Structures are given as C-alpha cells and as structure tokens.
Amino acid sequence: MRDRIAELALIRESVLQGPDDDATLRQHAKGKLTVRERLDVLLDHGSFVEIEVFRRHRATGFGLERKRPHTDGVVAGWGKIYGRDVMVYAHDFRIFGGALGEAHASKIHKAMDLAEAAGVPLISLNDGAGARIQEGVTALAGYGGIFTRNVRMSGVIPQISVMLGPCAGGAAYSPALTDFVFMVEGTAQMFITGPDVVKAVTGEEISQNDLGGAGVHGSRSGVAGFVHPDEVTCLEDVRYLLSLLPANNRELPPSVVPADPPDRPTDALIDMVPADPAQSYDMASVIEEIVDDGEFFEFHADWAPNLITGLCRLDGHVVGIVANQPKHLAGVLDIGASEKGARFIQMCDAFNIPLVSLVDVPGFLPGADQEHNGIIRHGAKLLYAYCAATVPRVQLVVRKAYGGAYIVMDSRSIGADLSFAWPTNEIAVMGAEGAANVIFRREIAAADDPAAQRAKRVDEYKTTLMHPYYAAERGLVDDVIDPRETRSVLTRSLGLLRAKHAEQPQRKHGNPPM
C-alpha cells in the first residue's frame, strides 16, 4: 500500500506540474497564467477539488496514440468563492493547445451535469484552439453536448464564461449561450471564422484582435459584458459578480448587513440633475448617490452607453438597475440599447433580482438606418423582457419620458409594481415643441407672428399635459417624491415587494422577438 501511495503521489505531482517547463514559459511569455494559477486566483485558497485528474484520450492516428497526457487539456472540479460552492472547468493551452477531443468534452459534460445537479454556478475558463482536428467528428459531437447543456441550464444556474485566450469556430457559441462573458484585452479573441478564412473569402486583411478581440466584443458586438486589462483583475471581478448572484433560480441573491443607512438622504441629487430637459448630465452619478456605499457593478459599459445596466445593493439586497444615460445620445433608445436592456432584464428575472428603472428618455432614435436594421423588432425585445419579468419592478421617472419609450421603460401600464417621479418629470407623447408643431401647425403658419403663436401653444401644452402631477392625477405614477428621499422610497418599496409572487400562464414558452 505504501508503495502504491508513493506512486500515486508521484503521478499526481506530475499532473499538477503540467506537461513541461517550456510550455509554461511560453504561456507566461504571452502574458497568460497557467490553468492552475488561474484557479488559485479565482477560488478560495485550498478549496479546489478536481475530478477526472487522470483522464486520457483513447484516440488513435496522426500520432495521438503516442501522446496521451493526463487531464487531456482541461482541468475540471469544484471549489468555493467567498465560501459558496461553484463548478469550474478550465482549458490548459499547454496540452494540445487546449483543443477539445472526446475525453476532453466528456470531462466538461461531467462538470456541467454536476453543476446542474448540485444547483451551483458554472464557470468556464476558456483558452483553447477549438475542436481537435485529429479526432474528427467526435470532437464536434463533444461541442454539441456542451451547447445542449448550456441551453438546458439557461436560467437555472448562473453560467459564466471567462475568455483568456483564443476561442474560434463553433467553440465561440458556448460562451454566447451563457449568462456572462468576461474577456481579457490582448490575449482573448472570439470569432467564427479567423483572419485567414476572412482573407481567403473576402480578400480583407485583419488581425485576430481587430476581428474578435476584447475591444471589439466589448464595444461593438456586445458579446462581452466585461473587459479587463489582465487576468487577475478579470478573475477578481468574476468573484465579485458571483457575490451578487444566487446559486440557482430557486434562491434569492445573497444579502449583507448594510453599513449605509436605508433612509440616508440623497441631498446631492437636487443639484445633480438639471431641470432643463435639454441639458445633459451623468446618470451614473445619480445611481452612485442612491445605491449602498456608491458601489455599482456595470454591465456592458462600452456597448450601447446610452443605456446603463448593472447590479448594486439597496439596504444590503441585490438590485438590478436599468437607466437611460443622457450623457450619450441624450439617453435615447436605439437598437443596441434595446438589446442590452432586454438581455439584462431577462437575466435579473431568471435569478430573482428586483429591477429599478431610472427613466430620462426622449424617445427612440429616429433614422432610416435604425428602421432598416429593425428598431421595431429590437425595441420589442426590451418591451417583451419587461412585460415578462415577474420580479419586483419599480420605476422612477427622473425627468423626461416621451412617447413609446416611456411605455417601454417599465411604465405602470406594462406591469411595474410601483412608479415614482421627481418634480422635474415630463411624461407625454412627445416634447412640447414637437407636439405644438403637430397640433397647431396650421394655426401657427397663419398667425401674424408665428414664433409668438408657437411659444404660446408650447406653453399651453406644457401647462395642460406636461405638468409634474398630470400622470399622478391619473394613477400612472404612485407619488411625486422629493429627490432627497429617493433612496428611502426605493428601499421601502423593494422591502414591501421582496416576497412578490406572480403566476404565469400555462404554456410551453413565449415566442419573443429575436
């Protein structure tokens, strides 16, 4: 027995060391950590329990039978983050370039099945060269098993993809199916067809980073929700995100004892938001003033910045924020903002996270480009997501809220549980100037002094239909509140709604706009 134990220790030590020192040096030379170094940063110290440590492939041909390293290029197991269990699998680029074969895929399937059975979050650390070409169709079938599990677990447990290296071809679809995608600048890339194929087909020459780097997916495609300069800060933010999420869809997000009083006055808000609806300001500052300790974890910060989405705490409880950003495009809703908001709302609804919507929206972005690219279809995604959400929903109209965009931004008419407004609110079909030009067009044109007549009618429209209490008088706003009481009003409202339960109609699933 002692001899066998000694043999086991030697084999295990060899597995932990990895294939060879040169491979580790090459990994470090690219600015990347090794697979086990990454796990040490991600997980609580000493908590990792590995599965199928000694797994080897059984493929033959093309020299594979002579190279059968343990782990087969993927490390899988479970550990803890802030004392809570998570399942994780991580590619080891030093072995077959992290390429996926039959045994490699089988380990990932096992990790995913365990995450589902245990009801714990699943994290994938991606650094692989795609399907293992030498294994042919069995490698492709392995990806099929991963995709099927991604979809089956969608909305059941949080799934987090961390892109730390290349992810090409069909392999890119697994991260796209998960709830959250993190990317590291300079080392991570995602694309369906690489630069060589692009050049062969289109003649276009482009680098890997320009085609599918973190900057591209963080600001243009919207694939990556979080972009980081290095692996350590990236993995630390993965840990922070998990501190805000429940283990599964049957639990509430973890709460903490707040150090920030729930009834703290928010006096700074009075001077933060200009009363003039045409004047810009930074909604991010408003959010930071309201939430616990000013801590706000923003999603997709560089994509569709005219809408802000992210997680925070109010009175120690996790809340999702959706807010128009007047600093960018006046806070207008467009295709990107609609998709961004819809995706975030669906995630919050799946994982029992209440929603607070801060509204200052002039409408949907006009233009042939928006119409031709499907603003109707994409805008409907945001509307559908709000209407389908059964978590507590509170709307706060900070300033202007015009037209269909007012309805879509979680108005009472589409199911918000409570709606509040500041005294600066202007809720109407459109701005007073535009409305007067439509309603009184002929009268203004026929007047001796068209400018004076227009000003008179604009003032009349504002006085009649756009005063701060018009919506409140009709029950579409529950209260017009002093901005200094905003934090107190929101925390008390969410406290009331914490046990909210909404029955859904019996159906297989809805048919949302895609």
Side-chain angles (χ1 to χ4, degrees):
M1 178 61 78
R2 287 182 175 82
D3 289 344
R4 293 296 176 91
I5 292 173
E7 180 187 31
L8 170 63
L10 287 173
I11 296 173
R12 189 179 296 278
E13 180 62 25
S14 173
V15 173
L16 295 179
Q17 288 296 324
D20 59 71
D21 291 340
D22 289 341
T24 299
L25 290 173
R26 288 193 296 271
Q27 183 82 348
H28 286 163
K30 296 175 183 177
K32 300 196 293 186
L33 302 176
T34 65
V35 62
R36 297 185 187 278
E37 288 170 343
R38 289 166 175 166
L39 292 171
D40 286 343
V41 174
L42 176 66
L43 302 172
D44 294 351
H45 180 69
S47 68
F48 184 57
V49 180
E50 191 169 351
I51 61 172
E52 300 195 7
V53 184
F54 304 119
R55 188 69 182 263
R56 288 172 159 176
H57 72 76
R58 54 188 178 184
T60 57
F62 306 102
L64 283 179
E65 65 276 7
R66 295 190 299 274
K67 188 176 181 181
R68 300 179 64 236
H70 291 297
T71 74
D72 200 46
V74 63
V75 177
W78 73 91
K80 293 183 182 295
I81 292 180
Y82 296 122
R84 301 165 68 217
D85 286 323
V86 297
M87 205 75 196
V88 60
Y89 68 87
H91 300 132
D92 189 344
F93 195 82
R94 299 171 301 171
I95 297 176
F96 299 126
L100 180 140
E102 180 188 25
H104 184 119
S106 178
K107 287 181 67 172
I108 294 175
H109 297 169
K110 175 67 177 292
M112 298 178 81
D113 290 342
L114 281 172
E116 183 180 20
V120 298
L122 175 71
I123 305 168
S124 62
L125 305 185
N126 296 270
D127 185 8
R132 195 173 298 169
I133 299 171
Q134 301 94 321
E135 294 197 31
V137 71
T138 55
L140 298 179
Y143 275 122
I146 293 172
F147 302 157
T148 299
R149 288 167 173 82
N150 285 141
V151 174
R152 191 175 70 220
M153 297 188 300
S154 180
V156 178
I157 58 172
Q159 299 180 72
I160 300 174
S161 297
V162 187
M163 315 310 297
L164 304 168
C167 185
Y173 283 117
S174 178
L177 290 169
T178 59
D179 302 300
F180 312 95
V181 177
F182 290 75
M183 291 190 76
V184 173
E185 293 174 329
T187 57
Q189 301 92 29
M190 296 173 67
F191 38 71
I192 300 301
T193 53
D196 293 340
V197 176
V198 170
K199 183 178 180 180
V201 174
T202 70
E204 179 184 5
E205 291 192 14
I206 189 169
S207 68
Q208 287 193 351
N209 277 325
D210 288 341
L211 181 63
V216 171
H217 290 307
S219 63
R220 297 184 64 182
S221 72
V223 171
F226 312 92
V227 174
H228 294 83
D230 58 72
E231 294 190 11
V232 172
T233 57
C234 178
L235 294 172
E236 287 174 347
D237 263 6
V238 173
R239 287 173 59 86
Y240 182 65
L241 173 61
L242 280 165
S243 74
L244 299 169
L245 298 175
N248 55 64
N249 65 339
R250 299 184 300 276
E251 298 181 5
L252 293 174
S255 60
V256 299
V257 178
D260 198 350
D263 56 352
R264 167 176 55 81
T266 49
D267 293 7
L269 296 178
I270 294 177
D271 300 315
M272 201 173 283
V273 179
D276 180 359
Q279 194 171 340
S280 179
Y281 65 94
D282 189 356
M283 182 66 85
S285 300
V286 174
I287 295 170
E288 290 170 3
E289 176 65 19
I290 294 171
V291 304
D292 287 1
D293 304 308
E295 292 185 2
F296 179 63
F297 190 58
E298 187 172 358
F299 289 32
H300 293 286
D302 297 321
W303 178 53
N306 41 316
L307 189 77
I308 297 174
T309 58
L311 298 179
C312 63
R313 281 193 164 90
L314 280 170
D315 195 22
H317 296 273
V318 178
V319 175
I321 300 286
V322 180
N324 306 111
Q325 173 57 295
K327 187 178 175 182
H328 294 279
L329 295 175
V332 73
L333 291 177
D334 60 2
I335 289 172
S338 298
E339 291 191 327
K340 175 179 175 176
R343 176 70 171 168
F344 179 77
I345 292 162
Q346 287 179 165
M347 182 280 296
C348 287
D349 191 46
F351 296 116
N352 308 311
I353 299 172
L355 289 162
V356 171
S357 301
L358 304 180
V359 183
D360 189 348
V361 62
F364 282 92
L365 182 64
D369 181 66
Q370 288 286 306
E371 297 293 348
H372 294 170
N373 284 292
I375 185 61
I376 295 173
R377 177 167 52 86
H378 294 288
K381 295 177 183 178
L382 181 59
L383 177 59
Y384 190 100
Y386 265 127
C387 290
T390 60
V391 292
R393 291 155 52 189
V394 179
Q395 180 199 49
L396 173 64
V397 181
V398 173
R399 204 168 57 171
K400 58 188 177 295
Y402 297 155
Y406 155 69
I407 302 171
V408 170
M409 284 297 296
D410 206 20
S411 63
R412 281 282 303 277
S413 59
I414 65 168
D417 297 295
L418 291 167
S419 177
F420 301 99
W422 285 359
T424 46
N425 82 84
E426 291 184 357
I427 304 174
V429 175
M430 63 177 67
E433 289 76 10
N437 288 337
V438 172
I439 300 172
F440 306 111
R441 180 177 63 254
R442 293 180 181 176
E443 180 182 323
I444 292 170
D448 294 335
D449 187 346
Q453 187 66 12
R454 179 183 292 108
K456 175 184 174 182
R457 291 305 190 183
V458 166
D459 185 66
E460 178 185 347
Y461 188 84
K462 284 184 176 180
T463 303
T464 305
L465 295 178
M466 293 181 65
H467 63 79
Y469 307 100
Y470 185 84
E473 289 170 359
R474 283 150 183 81
L476 297 174
V477 167
D478 290 289
D479 196 8
V480 179
I481 65 171
D482 185 329
R484 293 171 293 187
E485 299 175 356
T486 300
R487 176 174 163 82
S488 176
V489 168
L490 291 178
T491 55
R492 283 184 292 171
S493 299
L494 292 169
L496 168 71
L497 295 167
R498 196 156 292 131
K500 175 186 173 183
H501 176 72
E503 292 291 341
Q504 289 285 71
Q506 185 64 37
R507 60 183 173 183
K508 186 175 181 181
H509 57 74
N511 186 24
M514 302 293 283

